Every structure is written in C-alpha cells, then in structure tokens.
Amino acid sequence: QVHLVESGGGLVQPGGSLRLSCAASGSFLSIHLMKWSRQAPGKQRELVASISSSGVTKYADSVKGRFTISRDNAKNTVYLQMSSLKPEDTAVYYCNADILIPGQLDDYWGQGTQVTVSS
C-alpha cells in the first residue's frame, strides 16, 4: 500500500504565504514525477506545478513567480511554497505522484488540503 498525505493548508489573508507538504509512505521502489493540482468550487481540477525526479520544474501561468515546488527525495516529500496569495488561489490542493512498485508504475493521489485566501 502506498499513501500520499498532504498537510499545511489553512486560512490566509491576501498577500500571505503558506507551505504545503505531501509525504509518501508505504512500500515502493521509487518516486518519479510529483505534482500539485487544485480544484476550486465549481471548477475543473487544474495542474499547478510539477517536479521531476531530477528537479526539473514546471508551473501554470497563473502561479508563475508566486509558487515554488520542491522535493526532498530522502524524505519522499514534495512541497509547494505559495506566496503573494490571492483570493482566486482558494481551492482544495492535491498532490499526486508517479510511484514505481514491483511490476508497475502507478499514479497515486493524496486526500487534499483546503487553502482559503480571504480577509
């Protein structure tokens, strides 16, 4: 069994910062691409950022320059540092990762963490 558990969400004022974490646990061989997505009420899920196992990052245009994705391979953890937050960043944030278990590469998702940007 492989699990991804997010943490770090909460309520923050516009212009503030939050750091999300997502840790993988269980029995697996390696973790490849790790991603953060978000889904606001009434909207489709949106890919926010991704990071490869070698550290190559990509960002949605809506968060470039404000969000930073990083990972600690020793801790099997991916982070999302969010700064200059806007009300439109309010959403449930999900991490997912391509994880290699014996015999196959599967896509695993966390349960999500709520981020609310409001004064």
Side-chain angles (χ1 to χ4, degrees):
Q1 280 280 38
V2 178
H3 298 280
L4 294 179
V5 179
E6 299 105 333
S7 61
L11 173 65
V12 63
Q13 291 187 342
S17 299
L18 277 177
R19 187 194 195 203
L20 305 183
S21 300
C22 173
S25 63
S27 180
F28 51 86
L29 299 176
S30 59
I31 303 175
H32 297 263
L33 190 66
M34 304 185 83
K35 292 174 274 187
W36 286 97
S37 301
R38 65 186 181 186
Q39 188 165 22
K43 294 188 176 181
Q44 288 189 330
R45 192 169 294 189
E46 170 193 23
L47 178 62
V48 173
S50 65
I51 183 167
S52 71
S53 56
S54 59
V56 176
T57 59
K58 294 183 180 180
Y59 296 94
D61 287 343
S62 57
V63 306
K64 277 181 182 176
R66 300 188 298 120
F67 290 10
T68 302
I69 188 171
S70 61
R71 63 191 286 171
D72 184 333
N73 291 329
K75 295 182 179 180
N76 298 318
T77 299
V78 63
Y79 305 97
L80 187 68
Q81 178 67 48
M82 305 184 293
S83 303
S84 301
L85 283 161
K86 305 175 181 180
E88 52 263 43
D89 294 317
T90 295
V92 178
Y93 284 71
Y94 300 89
C95 72
N96 73 295
D98 297 332
I99 297 178
L100 182 65
I101 61 174
Q104 62 189 49
L105 184 68
D106 274 344
D107 185 24
Y108 292 86
W109 287 79
Q111 81 287 353
T113 185
Q114 177 71 46
V115 172
T116 302
V117 184
S118 175
S119 54

PDB file of all heavy atoms in Angstrom, residues 19-52:
ATOM      1  N   ARG A  19       2.879  27.054   3.127  1.00  0.00           N
ATOM      2  CA  ARG A  19       3.714  25.987   2.589  1.00  0.00           C
ATOM      3  C   ARG A  19       2.982  24.664   2.760  1.00  0.00           C
ATOM      4  O   ARG A  19       2.672  24.260   3.881  1.00  0.00           O
ATOM      5  CB  ARG A  19       5.052  25.919   3.299  1.00  0.00           C
ATOM      6  CG  ARG A  19       6.049  24.940   2.667  1.00  0.00           C
ATOM      7  CD  ARG A  19       7.192  24.667   3.600  1.00  0.00           C
ATOM      8  NE  ARG A  19       8.324  24.042   2.945  1.00  0.00           N
ATOM      9  CZ  ARG A  19       9.232  23.315   3.575  1.00  0.00           C
ATOM     10  NH1 ARG A  19       9.128  23.115   4.879  1.00  0.00           N
ATOM     11  NH2 ARG A  19      10.260  22.788   2.904  1.00  0.00           N
ATOM     12  N   LEU A  20       2.714  24.006   1.638  1.00  0.00           N
ATOM     13  CA  LEU A  20       2.081  22.694   1.660  1.00  0.00           C
ATOM     14  C   LEU A  20       3.153  21.607   1.583  1.00  0.00           C
ATOM     15  O   LEU A  20       4.183  21.785   0.923  1.00  0.00           O
ATOM     16  CB  LEU A  20       1.125  22.541   0.482  1.00  0.00           C
ATOM     17  CG  LEU A  20       0.040  23.604   0.322  1.00  0.00           C
ATOM     18  CD1 LEU A  20      -0.861  23.253  -0.857  1.00  0.00           C
ATOM     19  CD2 LEU A  20      -0.770  23.764   1.578  1.00  0.00           C
ATOM     20  N   SER A  21       2.872  20.506   2.258  1.00  0.00           N
ATOM     21  CA  SER A  21       3.754  19.345   2.205  1.00  0.00           C
ATOM     22  C   SER A  21       2.944  18.124   1.810  1.00  0.00           C
ATOM     23  O   SER A  21       1.739  18.035   2.097  1.00  0.00           O
ATOM     24  CB  SER A  21       4.403  19.092   3.576  1.00  0.00           C
ATOM     25  OG  SER A  21       5.162  20.191   3.995  1.00  0.00           O
ATOM     26  N   CYS A  22       3.602  17.185   1.169  1.00  0.00           N
ATOM     27  CA  CYS A  22       2.959  15.926   0.798  1.00  0.00           C
ATOM     28  C   CYS A  22       3.999  14.825   0.923  1.00  0.00           C
ATOM     29  O   CYS A  22       5.007  14.828   0.203  1.00  0.00           O
ATOM     30  CB  CYS A  22       2.413  15.997  -0.618  1.00  0.00           C
ATOM     31  SG  CYS A  22       1.766  14.434  -1.239  1.00  0.00           S
ATOM     32  N   ALA A  23       3.745  13.905   1.849  1.00  0.00           N
ATOM     33  CA  ALA A  23       4.688  12.832   2.113  1.00  0.00           C
ATOM     34  C   ALA A  23       4.143  11.493   1.631  1.00  0.00           C
ATOM     35  O   ALA A  23       2.976  11.161   1.891  1.00  0.00           O
ATOM     36  CB  ALA A  23       4.985  12.762   3.605  1.00  0.00           C
ATOM     37  N   ALA A  24       4.993  10.746   0.966  1.00  0.00           N
ATOM     38  CA  ALA A  24       4.629   9.406   0.511  1.00  0.00           C
ATOM     39  C   ALA A  24       5.117   8.379   1.519  1.00  0.00           C
ATOM     40  O   ALA A  24       6.228   8.495   2.049  1.00  0.00           O
ATOM     41  CB  ALA A  24       5.248   9.119  -0.852  1.00  0.00           C
ATOM     42  N   SER A  25       4.275   7.395   1.780  1.00  0.00           N
ATOM     43  CA  SER A  25       4.656   6.320   2.696  1.00  0.00           C
ATOM     44  C   SER A  25       4.173   4.997   2.143  1.00  0.00           C
ATOM     45  O   SER A  25       3.310   4.949   1.268  1.00  0.00           O
ATOM     46  CB  SER A  25       4.072   6.571   4.084  1.00  0.00           C
ATOM     47  OG  SER A  25       2.662   6.571   4.032  1.00  0.00           O
ATOM     48  N   GLY A  26       4.742   3.925   2.673  1.00  0.00           N
ATOM     49  CA  GLY A  26       4.351   2.600   2.226  1.00  0.00           C
ATOM     50  C   GLY A  26       5.506   1.883   1.571  1.00  0.00           C
ATOM     51  O   GLY A  26       6.667   2.262   1.734  1.00  0.00           O
ATOM     52  N   SER A  27       5.174   0.863   0.802  1.00  0.00           N
ATOM     53  CA  SER A  27       6.177   0.038   0.170  1.00  0.00           C
ATOM     54  C   SER A  27       6.248   0.348  -1.326  1.00  0.00           C
ATOM     55  O   SER A  27       5.287   0.093  -2.052  1.00  0.00           O
ATOM     56  CB  SER A  27       5.848  -1.437   0.388  1.00  0.00           C
ATOM     57  OG  SER A  27       6.810  -2.264  -0.223  1.00  0.00           O
ATOM     58  N   PHE A  28       7.349   0.917  -1.773  1.00  0.00           N
ATOM     59  CA  PHE A  28       7.518   1.228  -3.188  1.00  0.00           C
ATOM     60  C   PHE A  28       9.004   1.280  -3.521  1.00  0.00           C
ATOM     61  O   PHE A  28       9.851   1.343  -2.628  1.00  0.00           O
ATOM     62  CB  PHE A  28       6.844   2.565  -3.551  1.00  0.00           C
ATOM     63  CG  PHE A  28       7.218   3.723  -2.663  1.00  0.00           C
ATOM     64  CD1 PHE A  28       8.358   4.483  -2.930  1.00  0.00           C
ATOM     65  CD2 PHE A  28       6.443   4.057  -1.567  1.00  0.00           C
ATOM     66  CE1 PHE A  28       8.694   5.554  -2.112  1.00  0.00           C
ATOM     67  CE2 PHE A  28       6.779   5.129  -0.744  1.00  0.00           C
ATOM     68  CZ  PHE A  28       7.914   5.873  -1.017  1.00  0.00           C
ATOM     69  N   LEU A  29       9.304   1.280  -4.822  1.00  0.00           N
ATOM     70  CA  LEU A  29      10.695   1.261  -5.256  1.00  0.00           C
ATOM     71  C   LEU A  29      11.253   2.661  -5.482  1.00  0.00           C
ATOM     72  O   LEU A  29      12.397   2.943  -5.115  1.00  0.00           O
ATOM     73  CB  LEU A  29      10.816   0.435  -6.547  1.00  0.00           C
ATOM     74  CG  LEU A  29      10.401  -1.039  -6.427  1.00  0.00           C
ATOM     75  CD1 LEU A  29      10.462  -1.720  -7.782  1.00  0.00           C
ATOM     76  CD2 LEU A  29      11.286  -1.754  -5.416  1.00  0.00           C
ATOM     77  N   SER A  30      10.465   3.518  -6.104  1.00  0.00           N
ATOM     78  CA  SER A  30      10.944   4.871  -6.379  1.00  0.00           C
ATOM     79  C   SER A  30       9.764   5.780  -6.710  1.00  0.00           C
ATOM     80  O   SER A  30       8.687   5.314  -7.070  1.00  0.00           O
ATOM     81  CB  SER A  30      11.946   4.875  -7.531  1.00  0.00           C
ATOM     82  OG  SER A  30      11.369   4.349  -8.704  1.00  0.00           O
ATOM     83  N   ILE A  31      10.017   7.089  -6.586  1.00  0.00           N
ATOM     84  CA  ILE A  31       9.016   8.097  -6.916  1.00  0.00           C
ATOM     85  C   ILE A  31       9.527   8.915  -8.090  1.00  0.00           C
ATOM     86  O   ILE A  31      10.661   9.405  -8.053  1.00  0.00           O
ATOM     87  CB  ILE A  31       8.737   9.020  -5.714  1.00  0.00           C
ATOM     88  CG1 ILE A  31       8.284   8.194  -4.510  1.00  0.00           C
ATOM     89  CG2 ILE A  31       7.668  10.049  -6.085  1.00  0.00           C
ATOM     90  CD1 ILE A  31       8.093   9.024  -3.247  1.00  0.00           C
ATOM     91  N   HIS A  32       8.704   9.062  -9.078  1.00  0.00           N
ATOM     92  CA  HIS A  32       9.112   9.803 -10.268  1.00  0.00           C
ATOM     93  C   HIS A  32       8.474  11.188 -10.250  1.00  0.00           C
ATOM     94  O   HIS A  32       8.695  11.940  -9.304  1.00  0.00           O
ATOM     95  CB  HIS A  32       8.793   8.976 -11.499  1.00  0.00           C
ATOM     96  CG  HIS A  32       9.576   7.692 -11.518  1.00  0.00           C
ATOM     97  ND1 HIS A  32      10.741   7.540 -12.217  1.00  0.00           N
ATOM     98  CD2 HIS A  32       9.373   6.516 -10.870  1.00  0.00           C
ATOM     99  CE1 HIS A  32      11.228   6.328 -12.022  1.00  0.00           C
ATOM    100  NE2 HIS A  32      10.418   5.692 -11.204  1.00  0.00           N
ATOM    101  N   LEU A  33       7.687  11.529 -11.240  1.00  0.00           N
ATOM    102  CA  LEU A  33       7.102  12.868 -11.303  1.00  0.00           C
ATOM    103  C   LEU A  33       6.164  13.114 -10.124  1.00  0.00           C
ATOM    104  O   LEU A  33       5.336  12.265  -9.801  1.00  0.00           O
ATOM    105  CB  LEU A  33       6.347  13.028 -12.615  1.00  0.00           C
ATOM    106  CG  LEU A  33       5.872  14.426 -12.985  1.00  0.00           C
ATOM    107  CD1 LEU A  33       7.063  15.345 -13.241  1.00  0.00           C
ATOM    108  CD2 LEU A  33       4.964  14.379 -14.198  1.00  0.00           C
ATOM    109  N   MET A  34       6.315  14.285  -9.495  1.00  0.00           N
ATOM    110  CA  MET A  34       5.418  14.675  -8.412  1.00  0.00           C
ATOM    111  C   MET A  34       4.733  15.983  -8.804  1.00  0.00           C
ATOM    112  O   MET A  34       5.364  16.859  -9.413  1.00  0.00           O
ATOM    113  CB  MET A  34       6.182  14.846  -7.093  1.00  0.00           C
ATOM    114  CG  MET A  34       6.952  13.602  -6.692  1.00  0.00           C
ATOM    115  SD  MET A  34       7.735  13.722  -5.066  1.00  0.00           S
ATOM    116  CE  MET A  34       6.358  13.274  -3.992  1.00  0.00           C
ATOM    117  N   LYS A  35       3.461  16.105  -8.469  1.00  0.00           N
ATOM    118  CA  LYS A  35       2.678  17.250  -8.939  1.00  0.00           C
ATOM    119  C   LYS A  35       1.761  17.781  -7.843  1.00  0.00           C
ATOM    120  O   LYS A  35       1.382  17.038  -6.923  1.00  0.00           O
ATOM    121  CB  LYS A  35       1.814  16.839 -10.146  1.00  0.00           C
ATOM    122  CG  LYS A  35       2.606  16.510 -11.397  1.00  0.00           C
ATOM    123  CD  LYS A  35       1.706  15.967 -12.489  1.00  0.00           C
ATOM    124  CE  LYS A  35       1.490  14.483 -12.364  1.00  0.00           C
ATOM    125  NZ  LYS A  35       0.750  13.920 -13.496  1.00  0.00           N
ATOM    126  N   TRP A  36       1.408  19.029  -7.982  1.00  0.00           N
ATOM    127  CA  TRP A  36       0.353  19.654  -7.192  1.00  0.00           C
ATOM    128  C   TRP A  36      -0.727  20.141  -8.156  1.00  0.00           C
ATOM    129  O   TRP A  36      -0.418  20.780  -9.161  1.00  0.00           O
ATOM    130  CB  TRP A  36       0.876  20.842  -6.390  1.00  0.00           C
ATOM    131  CG  TRP A  36       1.699  20.483  -5.212  1.00  0.00           C
ATOM    132  CD1 TRP A  36       3.053  20.438  -5.128  1.00  0.00           C
ATOM    133  CD2 TRP A  36       1.214  20.102  -3.914  1.00  0.00           C
ATOM    134  NE1 TRP A  36       3.448  20.053  -3.870  1.00  0.00           N
ATOM    135  CE2 TRP A  36       2.327  19.851  -3.096  1.00  0.00           C
ATOM    136  CE3 TRP A  36      -0.066  19.963  -3.362  1.00  0.00           C
ATOM    137  CZ2 TRP A  36       2.217  19.467  -1.764  1.00  0.00           C
ATOM    138  CZ3 TRP A  36      -0.177  19.580  -2.030  1.00  0.00           C
ATOM    139  CH2 TRP A  36       0.963  19.339  -1.249  1.00  0.00           C
ATOM    140  N   SER A  37      -1.964  19.840  -7.817  1.00  0.00           N
ATOM    141  CA  SER A  37      -3.122  20.324  -8.569  1.00  0.00           C
ATOM    142  C   SER A  37      -4.066  20.980  -7.586  1.00  0.00           C
ATOM    143  O   SER A  37      -3.915  20.841  -6.368  1.00  0.00           O
ATOM    144  CB  SER A  37      -3.833  19.162  -9.276  1.00  0.00           C
ATOM    145  OG  SER A  37      -2.974  18.495 -10.170  1.00  0.00           O
ATOM    146  N   ARG A  38      -5.048  21.696  -8.105  1.00  0.00           N
ATOM    147  CA  ARG A  38      -6.039  22.312  -7.228  1.00  0.00           C
ATOM    148  C   ARG A  38      -7.395  22.300  -7.908  1.00  0.00           C
ATOM    149  O   ARG A  38      -7.502  22.283  -9.139  1.00  0.00           O
ATOM    150  CB  ARG A  38      -5.643  23.739  -6.852  1.00  0.00           C
ATOM    151  CG  ARG A  38      -5.619  24.719  -8.018  1.00  0.00           C
ATOM    152  CD  ARG A  38      -5.068  26.068  -7.570  1.00  0.00           C
ATOM    153  NE  ARG A  38      -5.041  27.044  -8.665  1.00  0.00           N
ATOM    154  CZ  ARG A  38      -4.506  28.246  -8.557  1.00  0.00           C
ATOM    155  NH1 ARG A  38      -3.923  28.633  -7.408  1.00  0.00           N
ATOM    156  NH2 ARG A  38      -4.529  29.065  -9.594  1.00  0.00           N
ATOM    157  N   GLN A  39      -8.421  22.341  -7.072  1.00  0.00           N
ATOM    158  CA  GLN A  39      -9.784  22.398  -7.589  1.00  0.00           C
ATOM    159  C   GLN A  39     -10.600  23.348  -6.749  1.00  0.00           C
ATOM    160  O   GLN A  39     -10.776  23.128  -5.542  1.00  0.00           O
ATOM    161  CB  GLN A  39     -10.424  21.014  -7.601  1.00  0.00           C
ATOM    162  CG  GLN A  39     -11.772  20.981  -8.301  1.00  0.00           C
ATOM    163  CD  GLN A  39     -12.231  19.581  -8.631  1.00  0.00           C
ATOM    164  OE1 GLN A  39     -11.788  18.610  -8.031  1.00  0.00           O
ATOM    165  NE2 GLN A  39     -13.123  19.470  -9.605  1.00  0.00           N
ATOM    166  N   ALA A  40     -11.060  24.402  -7.388  1.00  0.00           N
ATOM    167  CA  ALA A  40     -11.922  25.375  -6.731  1.00  0.00           C
ATOM    168  C   ALA A  40     -13.376  24.955  -6.928  1.00  0.00           C
ATOM    169  O   ALA A  40     -13.699  24.235  -7.885  1.00  0.00           O
ATOM    170  CB  ALA A  40     -11.675  26.759  -7.319  1.00  0.00           C
ATOM    171  N   PRO A  41     -14.271  25.399  -6.053  1.00  0.00           N
ATOM    172  CA  PRO A  41     -15.686  25.033  -6.185  1.00  0.00           C
ATOM    173  C   PRO A  41     -16.246  25.399  -7.552  1.00  0.00           C
ATOM    174  O   PRO A  41     -16.055  26.521  -8.033  1.00  0.00           O
ATOM    175  CB  PRO A  41     -16.357  25.857  -5.079  1.00  0.00           C
ATOM    176  CG  PRO A  41     -15.290  26.086  -4.075  1.00  0.00           C
ATOM    177  CD  PRO A  41     -14.023  26.230  -4.862  1.00  0.00           C
ATOM    178  N   GLY A  42     -16.875  24.441  -8.192  1.00  0.00           N
ATOM    179  CA  GLY A  42     -17.493  24.683  -9.486  1.00  0.00           C
ATOM    180  C   GLY A  42     -16.541  24.734 -10.661  1.00  0.00           C
ATOM    181  O   GLY A  42     -16.947  25.037 -11.787  1.00  0.00           O
ATOM    182  N   LYS A  43     -15.258  24.441 -10.411  1.00  0.00           N
ATOM    183  CA  LYS A  43     -14.265  24.498 -11.487  1.00  0.00           C
ATOM    184  C   LYS A  43     -13.591  23.145 -11.659  1.00  0.00           C
ATOM    185  O   LYS A  43     -13.601  22.309 -10.759  1.00  0.00           O
ATOM    186  CB  LYS A  43     -13.221  25.574 -11.198  1.00  0.00           C
ATOM    187  CG  LYS A  43     -13.776  26.989 -11.197  1.00  0.00           C
ATOM    188  CD  LYS A  43     -12.657  28.014 -11.103  1.00  0.00           C
ATOM    189  CE  LYS A  43     -13.194  29.434 -11.191  1.00  0.00           C
ATOM    190  NZ  LYS A  43     -12.112  30.449 -11.123  1.00  0.00           N
ATOM    191  N   GLN A  44     -12.980  22.974 -12.818  1.00  0.00           N
ATOM    192  CA  GLN A  44     -12.234  21.749 -13.076  1.00  0.00           C
ATOM    193  C   GLN A  44     -10.899  21.766 -12.330  1.00  0.00           C
ATOM    194  O   GLN A  44     -10.373  22.833 -12.010  1.00  0.00           O
ATOM    195  CB  GLN A  44     -11.973  21.608 -14.581  1.00  0.00           C
ATOM    196  CG  GLN A  44     -13.215  21.267 -15.389  1.00  0.00           C
ATOM    197  CD  GLN A  44     -12.877  20.913 -16.827  1.00  0.00           C
ATOM    198  OE1 GLN A  44     -11.905  21.408 -17.390  1.00  0.00           O
ATOM    199  NE2 GLN A  44     -13.677  20.046 -17.424  1.00  0.00           N
ATOM    200  N   ARG A  45     -10.395  20.564 -12.067  1.00  0.00           N
ATOM    201  CA  ARG A  45      -9.094  20.464 -11.423  1.00  0.00           C
ATOM    202  C   ARG A  45      -8.031  21.023 -12.358  1.00  0.00           C
ATOM    203  O   ARG A  45      -8.048  20.771 -13.563  1.00  0.00           O
ATOM    204  CB  ARG A  45      -8.794  19.012 -11.058  1.00  0.00           C
ATOM    205  CG  ARG A  45      -7.606  18.847 -10.143  1.00  0.00           C
ATOM    206  CD  ARG A  45      -7.511  17.438  -9.601  1.00  0.00           C
ATOM    207  NE  ARG A  45      -8.643  17.127  -8.722  1.00  0.00           N
ATOM    208  CZ  ARG A  45      -8.714  16.018  -7.989  1.00  0.00           C
ATOM    209  NH1 ARG A  45      -7.733  15.126  -8.033  1.00  0.00           N
ATOM    210  NH2 ARG A  45      -9.756  15.788  -7.224  1.00  0.00           N
ATOM    211  N   GLU A  46      -7.092  21.787 -11.771  1.00  0.00           N
ATOM    212  CA  GLU A  46      -6.062  22.482 -12.538  1.00  0.00           C
ATOM    213  C   GLU A  46      -4.690  22.037 -12.057  1.00  0.00           C
ATOM    214  O   GLU A  46      -4.417  22.046 -10.851  1.00  0.00           O
ATOM    215  CB  GLU A  46      -6.222  24.002 -12.331  1.00  0.00           C
ATOM    216  CG  GLU A  46      -5.090  24.840 -12.879  1.00  0.00           C
ATOM    217  CD  GLU A  46      -5.127  26.291 -12.392  1.00  0.00           C
ATOM    218  OE1 GLU A  46      -5.736  26.555 -11.340  1.00  0.00           O
ATOM    219  OE2 GLU A  46      -4.534  27.143 -13.069  1.00  0.00           O
ATOM    220  N   LEU A  47      -3.802  21.681 -12.989  1.00  0.00           N
ATOM    221  CA  LEU A  47      -2.428  21.360 -12.625  1.00  0.00           C
ATOM    222  C   LEU A  47      -1.694  22.653 -12.292  1.00  0.00           C
ATOM    223  O   LEU A  47      -1.666  23.580 -13.103  1.00  0.00           O
ATOM    224  CB  LEU A  47      -1.731  20.639 -13.778  1.00  0.00           C
ATOM    225  CG  LEU A  47      -0.255  20.286 -13.560  1.00  0.00           C
ATOM    226  CD1 LEU A  47      -0.096  19.333 -12.375  1.00  0.00           C
ATOM    227  CD2 LEU A  47       0.339  19.665 -14.815  1.00  0.00           C
ATOM    228  N   VAL A  48      -1.109  22.704 -11.108  1.00  0.00           N
ATOM    229  CA  VAL A  48      -0.449  23.916 -10.638  1.00  0.00           C
ATOM    230  C   VAL A  48       1.052  23.862 -10.901  1.00  0.00           C
ATOM    231  O   VAL A  48       1.648  24.826 -11.397  1.00  0.00           O
ATOM    232  CB  VAL A  48      -0.710  24.114  -9.136  1.00  0.00           C
ATOM    233  CG1 VAL A  48       0.114  25.266  -8.587  1.00  0.00           C
ATOM    234  CG2 VAL A  48      -2.196  24.347  -8.882  1.00  0.00           C
ATOM    235  N   ALA A  49       1.688  22.752 -10.529  1.00  0.00           N
ATOM    236  CA  ALA A  49       3.134  22.649 -10.660  1.00  0.00           C
ATOM    237  C   ALA A  49       3.538  21.185 -10.655  1.00  0.00           C
ATOM    238  O   ALA A  49       2.834  20.333 -10.117  1.00  0.00           O
ATOM    239  CB  ALA A  49       3.833  23.389  -9.520  1.00  0.00           C
ATOM    240  N   SER A  50       4.695  20.920 -11.261  1.00  0.00           N
ATOM    241  CA  SER A  50       5.239  19.568 -11.265  1.00  0.00           C
ATOM    242  C   SER A  50       6.749  19.631 -11.112  1.00  0.00           C
ATOM    243  O   SER A  50       7.384  20.654 -11.423  1.00  0.00           O
ATOM    244  CB  SER A  50       4.873  18.828 -12.554  1.00  0.00           C
ATOM    245  OG  SER A  50       5.482  19.437 -13.677  1.00  0.00           O
ATOM    246  N   ILE A  51       7.296  18.522 -10.618  1.00  0.00           N
ATOM    247  CA  ILE A  51       8.744  18.434 -10.459  1.00  0.00           C
ATOM    248  C   ILE A  51       9.181  17.001 -10.748  1.00  0.00           C
ATOM    249  O   ILE A  51       8.601  16.048 -10.213  1.00  0.00           O
ATOM    250  CB  ILE A  51       9.189  18.907  -9.052  1.00  0.00           C
ATOM    251  CG1 ILE A  51      10.717  18.874  -8.927  1.00  0.00           C
ATOM    252  CG2 ILE A  51       8.520  18.090  -7.943  1.00  0.00           C
ATOM    253  CD1 ILE A  51      11.232  19.611  -7.694  1.00  0.00           C
ATOM    254  N   SER A  52      10.182  16.868 -11.591  1.00  0.00           N
ATOM    255  CA  SER A  52      10.674  15.539 -11.948  1.00  0.00           C
ATOM    256  C   SER A  52      11.601  15.018 -10.848  1.00  0.00           C
ATOM    257  O   SER A  52      11.983  15.752  -9.927  1.00  0.00           O
ATOM    258  CB  SER A  52      11.413  15.598 -13.281  1.00  0.00           C
ATOM    259  OG  SER A  52      12.663  16.274 -13.118  1.00  0.00           O
TER     260      SER A  52
END
